[in-house]
Amino acid sequence: CIYMISTSALEWATLTYEDCVTPLMFLKDITTVSEMTFTYNGKTTTFGMTHNPEEEDNEKNMTVTMDGKPVVTDHFRSFYQVLMGIERGGAAPTGPSGKADIAFTYNDIGTDDVVTIELFKHSASIYIGRFDGGDIFKVRASEIDYLIRQYQNLLDGKEVLLG
């Protein structure tokens, strides 16, 4: 038997990569993360998070350390929001090569699972992102440049601005 089916009945057959993934680079609930590292310019910074869900005050329901020293929780939350707001720009033009310019990892509470995301500068306007699971995508360099500026603000103890 041969059947004729309208293409409107088979919308899934024309899906693209961009149709199937979230536009955000990654979306991770901060209350499930116990540790995050951020590597830039060869220096790795480790952020430790202790969650106190019974506390209602944002400064008390999560405490954050940066390389073992306390950091202003609201500044870290803003940095995390900047990180979460980075959007994928679609499929990467090529695979990444060389050493990553930026890398970050996060660990979930109560597990040994570590997720790694690396970013490689491809051109003045594009970074290539790679998840440790192999997913490769492009990211606008302007978003990464903004992330780096806010990371520096966090390191310097300054307010982190949301873009």
Side-chain angles (χ1 to χ4, degrees):
C1 288
I2 297 176
Y3 296 98
M4 290 191 62
I5 300 174
S6 167
T7 55
S8 64
L10 297 172
E11 292 179 12
W12 57 267
T14 60
L15 289 177
T16 65
Y17 172 82
E18 289 80 13
D19 295 328
C20 299
V21 296
T22 177
L24 298 176
M25 186 168 61
F26 79 106
L27 192 57
K28 185 70 179 160
D29 181 356
I30 197 170
T31 64
T32 66
V33 178
S34 62
E35 184 177 274
M36 185 177 98
T37 65
F38 193 89
T39 303
Y40 175 66
N41 275 345
K43 182 182 182 320
T44 299
T45 304
T46 301
F47 298 96
M49 287 155 266
T50 303
H51 301 278
N52 307 303
E54 67 282 352
E55 293 286 348
E56 292 183 25
D57 181 349
N58 269 351
E59 275 297 315
K60 294 180 182 175
N61 66 12
M62 181 177 75
T63 55
V64 181
T65 59
M66 182 169 59
D67 292 333
K69 297 175 185 161
V71 66
V72 176
T73 300
D74 282 345
H75 292 180
F76 180 78
R77 284 182 190 276
S78 294
F79 173 70
Y80 195 81
Q81 287 177 356
V82 170
L83 187 60
M84 291 295 113
I86 294 173
E87 293 186 359
R88 298 171 188 243
T94 64
S97 61
K99 187 174 180 188
D101 295 282
I102 299 170
F104 54 96
T105 66
Y106 65 84
N107 303 51
D108 283 339
I109 294 173
T111 72
D112 293 330
D113 296 339
V114 177
V115 174
T116 302
I117 301 169
E118 298 175 301
L119 298 166
F120 302 80
K121 188 154 188 138
H122 177 72
S123 69
S125 60
I126 295 174
Y127 275 78
I128 304 295
R130 177 175 63 197
F131 277 94
D132 53 5
D135 189 18
I136 298 172
F137 50 92
K138 68 181 176 182
V139 178
R140 288 190 324 246
S142 59
E143 290 191 75
I144 303 306
D145 294 343
Y146 188 78
L147 174 69
I148 292 166
R149 286 194 305 276
Q150 299 318 307
Y151 173 64
Q152 191 60 54
N153 282 348
L154 185 61
L155 292 178
D156 293 343
K158 297 178 181 175
E159 182 179 5
V160 175
L161 307 173
L162 298 174

